[in-house]
Amino acid sequence: MASYDFTSVEKKWQNKWAKDNTFAAKQDYTLPKFYALVEFPYPSGDGLHVGHPRSYTALDAVARKKRLEGFNVLYPMGWDAFGLPTENFAMQHHIHPEIVTERNVARFKSQLQSIGLSFDWNREVNTTDPDYYRWTQWIFLQLYKHGLAYKKEMNVNYCTGCKVVLANEEVVNGFCERCGSQVIHKTKSQWMLKITAYADRLIDDLKDVDFIERVKTQQINWIGRSYGAEINFTSTQGDTITVFTTRCDTLFGATYMVLSPEHALVSQWLEKGVLKNAEEVREYQIAAAKKSDLERTELSKEKTGVCLDGVAAVNPGTGKEIPIYISDYVLATYGTGAIMAVPGHDTRDWEFAKKFGLPIIEVVKGGNVEEEAFTDCETGTLVNSGFLNGKTVEEAKEAMLEWLSSEGKGRKQVNFKLRDWVFSRQRYWGEPIPMVYCEKCGWQPLPEEELPLRLPEITDFEPGEGGESPLSRHEEWVNTTCPCCGGPAKRETDTMPQWAGSSWYFLRYMDPHNNEAIASPEALAYWGPVDWYNGGMEHTTLHLLYSRFWHKFLYDIGVVPYKEPYKKRTSHGMILGLNPRSFVNMSKEDQDRLVAEHGSVEAAKKALVEKYGEMAEHPVVKMSKSLKNVVNPDDIIRDYGADTLRLYEMFIGDFEQAAPWSTNSIRGCKRFLERIWSLQDMLVDGDTYRPELEASFHRAIKKVGSDIDTLKANTAIATMMALVNDIVKTGAINRAEYHTLLMLLNPFVPHITEELNERCGLSGELAYETWPVYDEAKCVDSSVEMPVQINGKLRGRITVPTDSDNETVLALAKQDEKVAAALEGKTLVKEIVVKNKLVNLVVKG
RNA sequence: GCGGAUAUGGUGGAAUUGGCAGACACGUUGGUCUUAGGAACCAAUGGGAAACCGUGCAGGUUCGAGUCCUGUUAUCCGCACCA
């Protein structure tokens, strides 16, 4: 037997697959189809990370198995290549982003190919390719034409690090999702996409798709739908102040109002001079505007506010006058930017009322409003509320809504946390927004025939001082003619965010070279929707939400024939690395040195925490360049081979959970493959499974098949390891057995299995074979070993023919030496037999 | 604060629907082979001398609980003044 030279074996098969187009999706639309999708990567300068292959290999196994089961499989790959890191790199090194992108893509591609993933490379897409972004721009124009894209002066999130505007989804706790810099507010004129118009459907249609629960709940929470009412209060100045509330039943308990500091009425009153404490109010407004999101949350514990002196409101329920405050705990961007405060039944209002000495009225009985706000909607009964008295909260809400609408004082209303999508970025490396501004005609869309609107060739990518796009400096590009009147006009200089190109890329794979449309109607109808989409949880409220929104829009305008883009969505856990700053991961010498230095292990650990922060307490952390714990898949492929890398990534643990990388454990996978390789020495003739292995094989086929379908590759592999252990014990493997074993392994380790299959002449190429079938009836052995328990404690074991009746089993059980001894002198109370599983005898005395 | 998830040997992790806890690996120990290092292979490996005890902790249901119920703790994730 030749030794297992994985490098040449893997190269050989990769070349053959490329040459034969083995994994190309077929153009035949009559075949049953399966579309497997993984998120296309951002081709960063760092190259592939060991995290990438985890997701890619898992779906590769699914795709390979589906092909073997006769499906026409589409498993494509491409590049989400617009984005800031490339642009920043280009700026630092004075290389055009296009060249940087090209280089990074080439590197990523060769890395991916060295893993032996069965992508259909004929369908590769790249979001920075003008033939691609032409259609991204086209979709934008359709959005514009349908009133879903608009330009608006907005208070936006601005990243101080990236010098760019961010979408709400890109801000995490007041910091930039990408670079971690602080986010501040700026007023800017921005293109916006009306994702809010789809808020209801983005929630409701989740019931028709098979997404893992946490993805669904995260999307639902992000969209944040709440049902309630808008109620009109009147001010002593005669204005109408509309509030949104989910608890209209508590109207009689509203003892004051709060407006957000940015509320339009506040400025109006200031201008009219009706406020006696105008100075104080202005100061509060300025202070609130200055606060970043971060400060606003940090300071959330202690409530602040100013009472508007000179104006009051009338509670439409009680008819009583109540004071109006401004406070930054009321958000300008949610609801109407104004609330009725019901301190008895809202925790925030209660805190505010306590601080400012405002009256607290109980209108729902059931708690003690002097102690804390009573917010329970299930148990209380309305009191002090006129016509609502005696009703439950639910009944009171209904009655109040009826009363409000009949009196014209309010109406039912649904509100969302979701905001429209800020779609402009002041950067070069993105799709130009195909809009033109004309003094006479206003904003005009570029005619579709003029797409793609290409990026101009420039060399200065730095964003402008005032946060304007670098494109704005290039007059020859900016100055154009108005598509409407033909007069002089200027192009929009902002570009689209990175999420634009990825919002529809899965459609382009269906027909990537189409020059007439994003894809042909036939291709869209046949391939879509994506049958299985796997990707990171970090994209749940970004890419996943955005692409569902675009897709629904494309459905509405008749471009795609189905409402949801993805039938099924799963998510992989991260691959973590060892934390070199954690005490337990340090070398013995370093540990000893630290202990000597600080006196004890505890003190040494404490010192590490002081030095590096809490992170030092975690033995496993995200891989990062600064910690130097990043594992490069190239090294693993060089030292162990692609099949070992694939197998290890699948064996590492539950696919959905984060898992620490362990270079030790990878050897076990290598060993297993060596074992598979050396099985060829035991090869004997035989075209059926030998009787002693028959049940093991049928069970393995069943288990491996279902495990691939449910992403439980770790147990599939364990099953095959156990099967190999069983085979080795017999000292031989016959041709039928070897063939089945190689088939089962093929989706995980395609190179070594093809090679062995060829060397032993077992069949033609495995890639064109049929997935093995099992027979349920043959999954069971002829006899089973059953444990015998007495009072639930294991006392003996018996071997009986499978499916023996209870009498036989009990008789045998009682004959067992240990069991008989344990029964001695006791009274048998109950006998329990679980067929083929266990015997339990309950005794007394 | 609210919501969700998780907790099993020295480690990663298994365990149909309540039915032999620790599959499969890693590591460790011993052995074989080797000039050596390594690799490979074989054996043992939850704790305990044993009776027994063992799935974060405390209860409960059951003939039987890692699994179900009640309470509790820790960790992780999401949301976070959303009226």
Side-chain angles (χ1 to χ4, degrees):
Chain A
M1 170 189 85
S3 74
Y4 167 40
D5 176 4
F6 54 81
T7 308
S8 65
V9 165
E10 288 172 359
K11 201 87 243 131
K12 167 184 161 186
W13 287 98
Q14 283 161 16
N15 289 339
K16 182 158 173 47
W17 293 330
K19 192 178 116 245
D20 296 352
N21 254 322
T22 309
F23 304 116
K26 297 185 189 80
Q27 233 8 73
D28 183 348
Y29 291 167
T30 62
L31 297 168
K33 68 98 184 179
F34 190 84
Y35 185 175
L37 183 67
V38 286
E39 283 169 354
F40 62 164
Y42 175 72
S44 72
D46 301 330
L48 218 58
H49 173 276
V50 283
H52 289 110
R54 193 181 196 193
S55 157
Y56 302 165
T57 308
L59 276 237
D60 190 50
V62 172
R64 284 174 180 270
K65 172 169 173 272
K66 285 285 177 187
R67 280 190 205 99
L68 297 174
E69 288 176 325
F71 286 89
N72 185 17
V73 171
L74 174 55
Y75 187 42
M77 181 40 73
W79 317 105
D80 187 15
F82 274 130
L84 275 180
T86 301
E87 187 167 336
N88 291 340
F89 183 91
M91 265 193 286
Q92 276 163 30
H93 298 83
H94 306 288
I95 312 172
H96 196 279
E98 200 176 315
I99 300 181
V100 180
T101 298
E102 212 174 287
R103 212 151 68 183
N104 290 349
V105 163
R107 166 121 188 263
F108 261 72
K109 189 170 176 182
S110 87
Q111 284 184 303
L112 287 179
Q113 286 177 325
S114 74
I115 300 172
L117 297 162
S118 65
F119 292 127
D120 180 353
W121 288 107
N122 305 312
R123 292 169 184 258
E124 181 179 350
V125 301
N126 182 330
T127 54
T128 66
D129 182 348
D131 284 338
Y132 180 92
Y133 70 67
R134 167 185 179 184
W135 297 108
T136 312
Q137 291 171 331
W138 181 84
I139 297 172
F140 178 88
L141 289 182
Q142 309 314 308
L143 286 161
Y144 178 79
K145 288 171 190 171
H146 288 83
L148 292 169
Y150 60 96
K151 194 159 194 181
K152 198 185 167 192
E153 187 84 3
M154 280 280 299
N155 187 16
V156 292
N157 307 297
Y158 182 80
C159 172
T160 50
C162 303
K163 295 208 169 99
V164 73
V165 158
L166 300 177
N168 291 328
E169 288 79 4
E170 291 171 303
V171 183
V172 181
N173 296 330
F175 292 98
C176 172
E177 178 248 359
R178 179 165 289 285
C179 76
S181 305
Q182 211 186 350
V183 172
I184 58 167
H185 289 280
K186 266 199 174 189
T187 302
K188 271 185 151 301
S189 178
Q190 301 289 311
W191 283 101
M192 307 286 294
L193 294 189
K194 222 181 220 167
I195 190 171
T196 51
Y198 285 78
D200 268 318
R201 287 162 67 187
L202 286 168
I203 289 181
D204 294 341
D205 292 350
L206 283 173
K207 71 179 187 313
D208 301 323
V209 291
D210 177 16
F211 289 6
I212 51 172
E213 272 318 303
R214 54 194 177 128
V215 167
K216 285 191 183 184
T217 42
Q218 245 181 71
Q219 291 211 345
I220 291 168
N221 290 343
W222 183 261
I223 297 167
R225 176 164 61 190
S226 42
Y227 295 96
E230 279 188 357
I231 304 179
N232 299 325
F233 285 61
T234 33
S235 80
T236 48
Q237 294 288 316
D239 315 273
T240 299
I241 312 169
T242 307
V243 301
F244 174 71
T245 177
T246 52
R247 292 293 305 276
C248 62
D249 56 301
T250 61
L251 177 63
F252 288 86
T255 53
Y256 62 95
M257 290 188 85
V258 186
L259 309 189
S260 74
E262 300 91 343
H263 199 281
L265 277 175
V266 181
S267 314
Q268 282 177 32
W269 290 329
L270 278 169
E271 275 167 34
K272 283 194 210 155
V274 291
L275 300 183
K276 291 177 194 152
N277 58 343
E279 202 47 45
E280 197 189 347
V281 170
R282 281 207 184 83
E283 265 169 34
Y284 189 84
Q285 281 184 316
I286 292 164
K290 262 199 215 152
K291 283 187 195 172
S292 66
D293 279 359
L294 181 69
E295 288 166 319
R296 245 171 122 135
T297 30
E298 264 187 353
L299 297 171
S300 69
K301 290 175 187 103
E302 186 73 354
K303 292 210 168 16
T304 59
V306 174
C307 182
L308 301 182
D309 192 359
V311 63
V314 177
N315 181 328
T318 61
K320 282 187 188 150
E321 238 174 64
I322 56 175
I324 306 174
Y325 281 76
I326 58 169
S327 171
D328 64 6
Y329 87 89
V330 173
L331 307 174
T333 49
Y334 184 77
T336 61
I339 62 156
M340 64 176 204
V342 185
H345 307 284
D346 181 285
T347 317
R348 295 149 302 181
D349 298 344
W350 190 89
E351 281 168 22
F352 192 88
K354 277 282 167 192
K355 178 159 176 188
F356 289 87
L358 291 155
I360 300 172
I361 298 176
E362 180 179 59
V363 289
V364 184
K365 207 164 183 57
N368 179 359
V369 297
E370 285 310 311
E371 290 292 314
E372 59 175 351
F374 177 67
T375 55
D376 189 351
C377 295
E378 309 287 318
T379 58
T381 315
L382 273 285
V383 292
N384 299 325
S385 295
F387 68 97
L388 299 177
N389 284 343
K391 294 188 191 299
T392 66
V393 169
E394 273 320 300
E395 290 162 356
K397 278 184 186 175
E398 280 303 309
M400 176 56 79
L401 278 172
E402 233 170 81
W403 181 80
L404 285 170
S405 65
S406 68
E407 296 282 311
K409 289 180 174 169
R411 60 195 181 91
K412 233 183 192 165
Q413 173 69 20
V414 181
N415 259 331
F416 299 91
K417 284 198 246 178
L418 185 71
R419 301 270 72 92
D420 276 344
W421 177 6
V422 179
F423 200 66
S424 307
R425 296 294 181 278
Q426 297 71 46
R427 284 304 186 114
Y428 173 76
W429 199 227
E431 300 88 346
I433 295 176
M435 297 295 294
V436 167
Y437 185 76
C438 169
E439 290 288 342
K440 246 195 285 178
C441 316
W443 281 106
Q444 292 297 321
L446 214 62
E448 286 175 20
E449 317 78 79
E450 287 183 33
L451 298 182
L453 170 61
R454 287 170 186 265
L455 281 166
E457 294 289 326
I458 68 169
T459 50
D460 53 327
F461 309 114
E462 288 77 10
E465 280 307 307
E468 68 276 356
S469 162
L471 289 176
S472 63
R473 289 191 292 264
H474 293 265
E475 305 255 309
E476 71 293 347
W477 187 81
V478 173
N479 289 322
T480 183
T481 51
C482 172
C484 183
C485 70
K490 286 185 187 301
R491 290 190 195 284
E492 170 60 57
T493 57
D494 283 355
T495 53
M496 299 188 198
Q498 192 178 2
W499 314 106
S502 59
S503 289
W504 71 283
Y505 74 111
F506 55 94
L507 297 174
R508 191 63 178 170
Y509 284 139
M510 298 175 185
D511 191 9
H513 311 295
N514 194 316
N515 287 322
E516 310 297 317
I518 60 172
S520 75
E522 297 75 31
L524 289 166
Y526 174 71
W527 284 116
V530 172
D531 292 282
W532 190 338
Y533 189 20
N534 186 77
M537 280 309 289
E538 70 276 17
H539 290 137
T540 303
T541 51
L542 288 156
H543 160 64
L544 201 64
L545 196 64
Y546 293 152
S547 62
R548 289 183 60 227
F549 159 46
W550 276 34
H551 193 87
K552 287 182 178 302
F553 167 69
L554 291 174
Y555 171 77
D556 287 349
I557 62 169
V559 174
V560 292
Y562 31 90
K563 290 182 190 170
E564 283 286 332
Y566 319 116
K567 241 191 234 172
K568 173 172 177 167
R569 169 77 177 190
T570 53
S571 201
H572 54 272
M574 259 191 301
I575 303 258
L576 305 173
L578 290 182
N579 181 2
R581 293 174 178 176
S582 158
F583 186 81
V584 294
N585 290 331
M586 295 187 163
S587 68
K588 193 79 187 65
E589 297 87 75
D590 286 351
Q591 288 185 349
D592 290 347
R593 193 175 45 74
L594 278 167
V595 171
E597 203 176 308
H598 296 97
S600 72
V601 171
E602 286 314 306
K605 284 184 181 169
K606 228 176 130 187
L608 285 169
V609 172
E610 265 165 39
K611 190 167 170 192
Y612 298 119
E614 260 177 61
M615 180 235 202
E617 293 184 78
H618 299 280
V620 249
V621 290
K622 252 190 212 183
M623 289 187 183
S624 77
K625 271 197 276 186
S626 61
L627 289 176
K628 300 201 177 76
N629 62 354
V630 178
V631 178
N632 182 343
D634 293 348
D635 298 340
I636 305 300
I637 291 173
R638 186 193 60 223
D639 296 343
Y640 298 94
D643 281 337
T644 300
L645 172 71
R646 294 171 60 110
L647 192 68
Y648 174 62
E649 295 231 8
M650 293 298 93
F651 190 55
I652 194 167
D654 188 311
F655 184 70
E656 291 201 5
Q657 303 293 127
W661 182 268
S662 154
T663 308
N664 272 333
S665 306
I666 204 169
R667 292 206 193 98
C669 292
K670 177 73 189 309
R671 241 172 251 165
F672 175 63
L673 292 184
E674 297 273 7
R675 236 168 160 211
I676 300 292
W677 183 261
S678 57
L679 279 176
Q680 57 183 302
D681 288 348
M682 299 185 191
L683 190 61
V684 295
D685 276 337
D687 49 16
T688 53
Y689 309 130
R690 286 167 291 160
E692 65 269 35
L693 288 173
E694 192 177 41
S696 298
F697 265 96
H698 283 274
R699 277 197 299 258
I701 295 167
K702 181 180 178 182
K703 176 79 175 145
V704 172
S706 69
D707 278 352
I708 290 176
D709 294 340
T710 52
L711 282 185
K712 301 248 176 282
N714 53 336
T715 48
I717 292 164
T719 303
M720 292 187 282
M721 285 173 167
L723 178 63
V724 170
N725 291 344
D726 287 347
I727 293 168
V728 170
K729 270 182 214 142
T730 70
I733 184 165
N734 75 27
R735 299 177 66 83
E737 292 161 355
Y738 209 9
H739 183 247
T740 297
L741 178 65
L742 294 178
M743 284 300 294
L744 291 180
L745 280 162
N746 177 264
F748 299 105
V749 287
H751 312 85
I752 189 175
T753 48
E754 289 284 8
E755 180 69 15
L756 284 168
N757 181 59
E758 185 185 74
R759 277 175 189 241
C760 301
L762 298 173
S763 70
E765 250 181 87
L766 294 179
Y768 303 105
E769 290 281 298
T770 308
W771 185 251
V773 289
Y774 67 91
D775 181 345
E776 189 67 60
K778 289 181 178 161
C779 287
V780 284
D781 287 300
S782 56
S783 65
V784 285
E785 194 190 58
M786 290 171 72
V788 182
Q789 298 179 337
I790 291 174
N791 289 349
K793 299 231 160 114
L794 185 67
R795 283 290 178 265
R797 292 169 187 286
I798 52 171
T799 303
V800 298
T802 303
D803 293 336
S804 300
D805 55 49
N806 292 2
E807 287 72 36
T808 320
V809 171
L810 281 168
L812 262 165
K814 287 173 196 165
Q815 278 167 32
D816 183 273
E817 230 177 89
K818 284 181 198 153
V819 175
L823 285 177
E824 192 73 41
K826 308 268 167 72
T827 326
L828 202 51
V829 185
K830 201 170 178 184
E831 297 169 333
I832 294 144
V833 180
V834 184
K835 206 170 207 178
N836 298 332
K837 275 272 158 76
L838 113 172
V839 181
N840 189 16
L841 304 173
V842 186
V843 298
K844 244 184 152 157

